[in-house]
Amino acid sequence: MKRNLLLLIVATFVLFGCKSTQPEGNFSNIEHPEWVKNAVIYEVNIRQYTPEGTFAAFEQHLDRLQQLGVDVLWLMPIHPIGEESRKGTLGSYYSIKNYCEVNPEFGTMEDFRHFLEAAHQKGFKVILDWVANHTSRDAKWTVEHNDWYYKDSLGNLAVQYDWTDIARLNYENQDLREEMIAAMKYWIELGVDGFRCDVAAELPTDFWNDAVSRLKEINPDIFMLAEAEKAELQYDAFNAHYTWDQMHNWYALAAGTIDADSIANFYVNYQNRSGMPSNTIPMNFTTNHDQNSWYGTCTEMYGPAVRQFAVLSFVVPGMPLIYSGQEAGLDKRLEFFEKDVIDWGADQGNMADFYRELIEMRDKHACLWAQPWGGVMAILPSDRPQEIFVFEREVEGDLCLAMFNFSDQTVTFNVENHLVTRDSEFTLPPHGYHIIFSIGECFGSCDECKEGCDCGDCDDCDDGRKCEGCVDCDHNDKSVEAKEKTEVKAETTEK
């Protein structure tokens, strides 16, 4: 086992590096907007957000979301929904009838403009869910441009998968491409800051490359998120991508079907296996609209480790996502085709403060930012590899040590070769997490409790005592030493 651990750490440092700069490897041609570096995405389900389900009603939540600290508001599709073969009473948001209008269920175009201006005034970026792969079966294009669609063996509009309420578009038609780009331009000119592109891998890569290039002529700082995990999309079109592979590994980890050693190997091998550019941005999520409605709530998927995986989504490289209601402890599967309002008073676990603290932590520490600004991941071996996952991230002297216990038992373990503290032995409770920063701060579970310690950020000290394992409090000498080590490390890297 020790030999395997040594191989793991060697492979990790080769792939991820231990420097503040990007690891050697392939890079995309994308220049990310500066505002992306520490941004957190918030997915907005307008229909289920309020009893009214309108832009105007959602606008009343902007102050609360500003206090929460999220930066990018991703609106699920806001366009009119088709009626032919409609699913349920209200239909799927992803059955688009007209790309240049808004769903009357949500309000008027003037209502949307008012919301967009209000969101921008409060510092938010707003991106729209863009469904370029298909339209509804009664979209105006099905009549005016029937040749833009795939047909089945009988000559009828073709469906895809079990999406019986849609008609699939055929991108071999150049006129279709021009019209789709024109529709996207319409919203960018209106002031929208980019798009989350539905099933992006189903469309030709050259279409996306062309579309994004032309959209950036209007606004060079747009943000493009692909609902795909396909490397070639990330070179000239998309800033960020879905992390489906990571999510499925997290599900397996929470279910106990894989262990911490497996997740370490997943990260070690990910870039080589996926071919992703080093400077593209993974979007880290524990849930989203699809996962919540079709597969299960966070409680169902992660059990008692809900908070642990939320923390993981904020500290591994990438950009974290929060779905509507997660900050209120959403614990039900929202109906997809019917009205099903989020219960904003159901937050029994004080999740709003939890996410606010997570966002504040990430905002403050550059080592946790997205690439190319943030630190790369250097995975460290422990003597309990099946239960414990440990890594460091560092950039320009800002260093963190992140430790996770993926078991349902309290685990005491040893980690060597880290720079944050002089300690090598730590203890984490079941499903515990502990993030220690070189500047003398910590976040998460206690190593152990001690009278008179006042470092804060202890989840498990019910009697008011605080954790001893942090580098704050009487461990300030460790903090100073860690800073000195980090500065030496940075100087060595520069040379």
Side-chain angles (χ1 to χ4, degrees):
M1 180 58 69
K2 288 183 178 179
R3 180 176 180 274
N4 290 337
L5 289 175
L6 288 173
L7 289 174
L8 173 60
I9 191 169
V10 169
T12 300
F13 276 83
V14 168
L15 289 174
F16 289 96
C18 57
K19 302 184 294 184
S20 61
T21 55
Q22 284 288 319
E24 292 185 5
N26 63 329
F27 294 88
S28 77
N29 299 313
I30 298 295
E31 292 188 15
H32 304 300
E34 181 73 16
W35 59 263
V36 167
K37 63 185 180 184
N38 60 341
V40 174
I41 305 180
Y42 185 87
E43 183 185 2
V44 181
N45 188 331
I46 293 288
R47 176 186 289 168
Q48 316 298 24
Y49 214 89
T50 62
E52 301 86 352
T54 62
F55 299 125
F58 172 66
E59 190 176 320
Q60 304 307 307
H61 285 257
L62 290 180
D63 286 339
R64 178 181 64 80
L65 292 174
Q66 186 180 46
Q67 293 171 5
L68 183 66
V70 297
D71 307 281
V72 184
L73 303 178
W74 151 25
L75 273 57
M76 291 173 65
I78 63 171
H79 309 297
I81 294 171
E83 296 180 8
E84 183 178 335
S85 302
R86 173 177 284 193
K87 292 189 175 185
T89 305
L90 299 177
S92 169
Y93 317 91
Y94 294 86
S95 179
I96 307 298
K97 193 171 184 179
N98 189 316
Y99 288 102
C100 294
E101 295 180 0
V102 298
N103 186 350
E105 176 189 345
F106 300 157
T108 65
M109 181 63 77
E110 184 56 35
D111 293 333
F112 176 76
R113 289 175 182 267
H114 191 278
F115 152 74
L116 184 62
E117 181 179 359
H120 282 161
Q121 287 179 349
K122 294 183 182 297
F124 294 106
K125 302 295 182 180
V126 178
I127 65 173
L128 298 185
D129 212 323
W130 196 258
V131 189
N133 180 66
H134 51 262
T135 70
S136 69
R137 300 188 67 77
D138 54 358
K140 67 174 185 175
W141 288 355
T142 63
V143 177
E144 297 174 359
H145 304 288
N146 192 263
D147 59 323
W148 291 1
Y149 292 84
Y150 283 105
K151 305 296 187 345
D152 62 21
S153 59
L154 299 177
N156 299 316
L157 295 171
V159 299
Q160 191 174 6
Y161 308 122
D162 63 344
W163 306 337
T164 54
D165 56 343
I166 63 96
R168 187 183 180 193
L169 291 163
N170 184 351
Y171 277 80
E172 293 180 7
N173 191 297
Q174 188 62 37
D175 291 337
L176 163 63
R177 292 181 177 223
E178 291 297 322
E179 193 65 21
M180 186 62 72
I181 292 173
M184 297 176 80
K185 282 184 173 181
Y186 170 81
W187 293 98
I188 297 298
E189 289 169 349
L190 197 68
V192 166
D193 300 291
F195 299 100
R196 174 269 188 188
C197 296
D198 188 59
V199 290
E202 297 289 341
L203 277 67
T205 299
D206 68 315
F207 165 75
W208 290 122
N209 293 345
D210 183 34
V212 174
S213 175
R214 292 160 69 177
L215 294 176
K216 286 186 174 181
E217 293 175 1
I218 303 170
N219 179 1
D221 285 342
I222 60 171
F223 177 74
M224 299 294 294
L225 165 63
E227 190 208 11
E229 198 165 9
K230 185 177 181 182
E232 68 182 57
L233 294 175
Q234 303 303 128
Y235 284 98
D236 294 293
F238 290 96
N239 302 90
H241 64 89
Y242 264 49
T243 51
W244 293 119
D245 201 2
Q246 174 179 263
M247 181 202 71
H248 290 303
N249 274 273
W250 286 3
Y251 283 172
L253 193 56
T257 56
I258 66 171
D259 59 21
D261 196 36
S262 298
I263 204 68
N265 278 287
F266 163 78
Y267 286 114
V268 166
N269 296 314
Y270 180 78
Q271 190 175 21
N272 277 358
R273 185 178 65 254
S274 68
M276 285 291 178
S278 300
N279 58 327
T280 198
I281 301 174
M283 184 183 73
N284 302 318
F285 54 91
T286 55
T287 191
N288 55 48
H289 64 275
D290 282 319
Q291 302 310 120
N292 171 264
S293 292
W294 304 117
Y295 298 98
T297 66
C298 282
T299 301
E300 290 177 278
M301 305 311 292
Y302 299 103
V306 168
R307 290 194 178 214
Q308 181 185 54
F309 282 92
V311 173
L312 190 62
S313 73
F314 272 74
V315 297
V316 296
M319 177 184 295
L321 169 75
I322 300 173
Y323 177 49
S324 296
Q326 275 193 275
E327 77 276 29
L330 176 65
D331 196 24
K332 71 171 180 176
R333 302 188 188 191
L334 296 174
E335 292 287 341
F336 208 82
F337 310 122
E338 310 292 343
K339 185 69 175 174
D340 190 12
V341 180
I342 296 167
D343 182 0
W344 292 103
D347 185 7
Q348 302 300 318
N350 203 18
M351 293 297 286
D353 284 345
F354 168 71
Y355 275 110
R356 187 179 301 112
E357 291 166 2
L358 265 180
I359 293 171
E360 288 175 354
M361 174 190 71
R362 187 169 178 271
D363 281 345
K364 185 175 182 179
H365 292 286
C367 62
L368 298 180
W369 294 354
Q371 301 298 349
W373 298 276
V376 296
M377 177 191 287
I379 299 173
L380 303 178
S382 79
D383 61 347
R384 300 291 295 272
Q386 277 70 46
E387 300 98 343
I388 300 299
F389 178 53
V390 186
F391 62 88
E392 284 184 324
R393 295 183 65 188
E394 182 270 330
V395 67
E396 296 181 355
D398 184 31
L399 173 69
C400 75
L401 176 68
M403 299 176 283
F404 294 84
N405 175 12
F406 289 121
S407 78
D408 58 2
Q409 303 292 321
T410 297
V411 177
T412 296
F413 58 97
N414 282 275
V415 179
E416 305 287 349
N417 301 318
H418 60 79
L419 300 176
V420 175
T421 80
R422 291 178 301 174
D423 293 336
S424 59
E425 182 177 283
F426 304 90
T427 299
L428 286 176
H431 314 294
Y433 51 89
H434 196 43
I435 320 299
I436 306 176
F437 296 95
S438 57
I439 65 171
E441 294 180 350
C442 60
F443 185 94
S445 310
C446 301
D447 285 336
E448 56 184 288
C449 293
K450 175 185 177 183
E451 295 285 359
C453 185
D454 60 354
C455 66
D457 277 331
C458 294
D459 291 340
D460 299 341
C461 299
D462 296 329
D463 59 358
R465 295 179 294 169
K466 303 299 182 181
C467 63
E468 183 179 19
C470 304
V471 293
D472 209 347
C473 318
D474 56 343
H475 290 204
N476 282 333
D477 58 325
K478 297 178 184 178
S479 176
V480 171
E481 181 179 0
K483 288 179 183 177
E484 292 173 349
K485 287 183 178 180
T486 303
E487 289 169 358
V488 170
K489 178 180 176 182
E491 290 174 2
T492 303
T493 297
E494 291 173 1
K495 293 178 182 178

